[in-house]
């Protein structure tokens, strides 16, 4: 709720001209992802809406084209619950585009009942972390070739809400499942992934690919559908009173994806909160050994599920 009172340090008007830039935004047919797509399209960006629901997304593509007069908006199907779909999406992108300047790993699920992805991985861990790790690795060579470029992964303040260890070996065990704890763990993973990728890029000598993550804010959206009906009850009343809008929720990731300050200040491997403010991760997300542990676990898991995966190109 504190996000409601935070100072807006970035605005849609602050977004620079993005003509010639190519961006991918996962989960961009609704919520803050859709807002990001719309506002970046207004600035001339070529935007790929990476979503699962074709019918819904095509309508959003046409809506954005009409609102912005920008025809360089398209849908490419991506199902984050399927690593095969992630691979197919990346192949299609690389066949159509020679450059990629912005990747926003925005899509996510929150506190849903226990379930498994098509690859047998727990739903929240699969969607929020594993698929985005795999997607980023498959697109990393194009992002490196297109520098200066950006990778933004959407985490959450919820990363600080669990005091338990990640316990990766039991991450898909239904007996160990608690939907709130699991969501928190997936958001911890977003931060650990960002830290490790930024470190690896630095070691490789790549200083103009800016990798960061953010807490978008406590937003009044359907992300809470597994906890309460967003249209009725006391929580609906509180959300209208204290939660921020989807427009405000998009600001911090838009800052990291588009602001010239990111390059000017050399912002890499950082965690930002509303609205474009640097912050410090807590708990497991700040642990020194966890980034490499998670990286190895995730790479091994993807190789197990996708035997032709040659591993991270970094």
């Amino acid at each position: 709720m504190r996000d409601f009172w935070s100072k807006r340090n970035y605005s849609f008007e602050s977004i620079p001209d993005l003509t010639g830039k190519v961006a991918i935004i996962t989960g961009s047919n609704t919520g803050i992802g859709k807002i990001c797509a719309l506002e970046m399209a207004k600035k001339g960006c070529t935007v790929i809406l990476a979503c699962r629901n074709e019918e819904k997304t095509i309508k959003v593509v046409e809506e954005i084209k009409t609102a912005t007069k920008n025809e360089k908006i398209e849908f490419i199907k991506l199902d984050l619950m399927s690593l095969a779909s992630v691979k197919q999406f990346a192949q299609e992108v690389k066949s159509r585009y020679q450059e990629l300047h912005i990747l926003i790993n925005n899509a996510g699920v929150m506190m849903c009942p226990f379930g498994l992805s098509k690859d047998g991985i727990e739903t929240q861990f699969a969607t929020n972390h594993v698929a985005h790790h795999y997607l980023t690795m498959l697109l990393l060579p194009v992002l490196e070739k297109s520098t200066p470029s950006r990778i933004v992964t959407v985490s959450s303040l919820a990363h600080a809400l669990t005091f338990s260890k990640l316990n990766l070996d039991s991450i898909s065990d239904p007996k160990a499942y608690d939907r709130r704890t699991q969501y928190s763990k997936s958001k911890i993973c977003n931060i650990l992934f960002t830290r490790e990728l930024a470190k690896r890029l630095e070691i490789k000598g790549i200083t103009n690919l800016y990798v960061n993550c953010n807490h978008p804010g406590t937003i009044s959206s359907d992300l809470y559908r597994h906890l309460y009906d967003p249209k009725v009850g006391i929580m609906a009343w509180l959300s209208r009173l204290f939660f921020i809008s989807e427009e405000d929720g998009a600001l911090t990731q838009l800052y990291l994806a588009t602001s010239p300050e990111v390059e000017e200040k050399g912002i890499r491997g950082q965690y930002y909160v509303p609205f474009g403010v640097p912050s410090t991760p807590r708990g497991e997300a700040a642990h020194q050994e966890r980034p490499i542990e998670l990286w190895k676990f995730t790479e091994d898991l993807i190789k197990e599920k996708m035997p032709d995966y040659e591993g991270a190109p970094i």
Side-chain angles (χ1 to χ4, degrees), residues 61-74:
V61 166
E62 294 307 314
E63 179 184 328
I64 293 175
K65 284 181 178 180
T66 299
T68 65
K69 310 304 179 186
N70 181 349
E71 291 296 317
K72 296 173 292 186
I73 316 298
E74 75 165 311

Side-chain angles (χ1 to χ4, degrees), residues 46-117:
T46 296
V47 184
I48 300 167
L49 280 68
C51 308
R52 181 173 57 181
N53 188 316
E54 180 173 358
E55 182 180 359
K56 180 178 181 180
T57 309
I58 288 176
K59 290 179 180 178
V60 172
V61 166
E62 294 307 314
E63 179 184 328
I64 293 175
K65 284 181 178 180
T66 299
T68 65
K69 310 304 179 186
N70 181 349
E71 291 296 317
K72 296 173 292 186
I73 316 298
E74 75 165 311
F75 159 72
I76 299 180
K77 185 177 179 63
L78 173 64
D79 182 357
L80 294 171
M81 288 279 278
S82 165
L83 294 176
S85 174
V86 175
K87 177 184 175 182
Q88 183 176 353
F89 171 86
Q91 289 175 333
E92 189 163 352
V93 167
K94 288 186 283 189
S95 71
R96 295 193 200 181
Y97 295 91
Q98 301 302 308
E99 292 184 307
L100 175 62
H101 306 93
I102 301 167
L103 171 62
I104 304 181
N105 293 320
N106 165 82
V109 292
M110 179 180 177
M111 303 185 192
C112 51
F114 180 83
L116 295 175
S117 72

